[in-house]
Amino acid sequence: MHSVKFVDILKVDPETKQRVRYWRNKEHIRRCMIGQEIISEEEHNKWLTNLGSDLRIKFWIVFSEDTPIGAVYLNDIDYEKKISDWGFYIGEDTYLGKGLGKAVLYKFLDLAFSDMDMDYLTTLVLTDNDRAIGLYRKFGFKEKRLSIRSEDDISVMELSKKEWKVKREELENLLRGKDKR
Ligand SMILES: CC(C)(COP(=O)(O)OP(=O)(O)OC[C@H]1O[C@@H](n2cnc3c(N)ncnc32)[C@H](O)[C@@H]1OP(=O)(O)O)[C@@H](O)C(=O)NCCC(=O)NCCS
């Protein structure tokens, strides 16, 4: 499996911090998000400033080798209930569809369920985002309910720590090519 590294956005250089806005505003990412508005530089800088004091958000830059390629985050962390919303994207086009999504998700789920000690992770996905839904199902996420917005269908997908433990073993075999089913 690809090796990826996560670095807290607060610890990366200013250029990479700004790169996040460029990624988030890209068409292929924006149209997969629930909030699809273009983010201004001012909004982005305000968000960056607030991140330091907002314990409910953890935001990491994903690196492949030394290249920043995307982001993964926990949003709305509830430390008492041990539940959080989360999301991710690969912002550099040349890194898409090469298995990095799987590598990021695998590492992220370990981080969220072990290091961050979450019990449940949920994410909202637009139902036409086949790529993300296929990937999440592969990693054990289940559709919990469907909510209908005016123009979009949104699926809530959830995974528990317990389910991840089981799925992780299955995937480990699969990703290492031991299980050829
Ligand atoms: C979701 C995302 C991170 C996946 O990254 P990726 O680099 O494409 O992922 P991978 O190459 O590891 O592929 C993972 C799985 O996605 C699916 N997939 C990949 N390319 C696909 C395509 N063109 N069409 C449909 N499914 C596809 C496959 O199930 C694949 O698994 P497989 O290779 O075992 O068949 C990336 O597409 C992205 O940033 N999308 C925009 C943002 C987004 O949708 N984020 C999630 C919002 S909820």
Side-chain angles (χ1 to χ4, degrees), residues 32 88-90 96-99 101-102 129 131 135-136 138:
C32 294
F88 84 137
Y89 47 81
I90 300 208
L96 276 169
K98 295 188 170 154
K102 279 182 289 201
N129 192 348
R131 190 185 293 211
L135 180 59
Y136 298 167
K138 199 169 279 178

Side-chain angles (χ1 to χ4, degrees), residues 1 102-114 118-121 135-142 158-172 175:
M1 199 176 11
K102 279 182 289 201
V104 172
L105 193 49
Y106 193 93
K107 188 179 171 75
F108 166 72
L109 293 175
D110 273 353
L111 184 152
F113 287 127
S114 298
M118 291 291 113
D119 279 343
Y120 292 95
L121 292 177
L135 180 59
Y136 298 167
R137 283 192 186 133
K138 199 169 279 178
F139 276 70
F141 280 85
K142 306 234 166 56
E158 189 178 285
L159 181 69
S160 70
K161 182 185 280 190
K162 261 189 184 166
E163 289 164 337
W164 174 235
K165 261 191 185 162
V166 177
K167 201 72 195 173
R168 189 185 192 280
E169 251 179 63
E170 240 178 84
L171 282 171
E172 209 169 312
L175 295 170

Side-chain angles (χ1 to χ4, degrees), residues 76-78 81-85 118-122 158:
D76 248 338
I77 307 172
D78 185 329
K81 292 186 182 144
K82 297 188 175 194
I83 185 164
S84 183
D85 186 25
M118 291 291 113
D119 279 343
Y120 292 95
L121 292 177
T122 62
E158 189 178 285

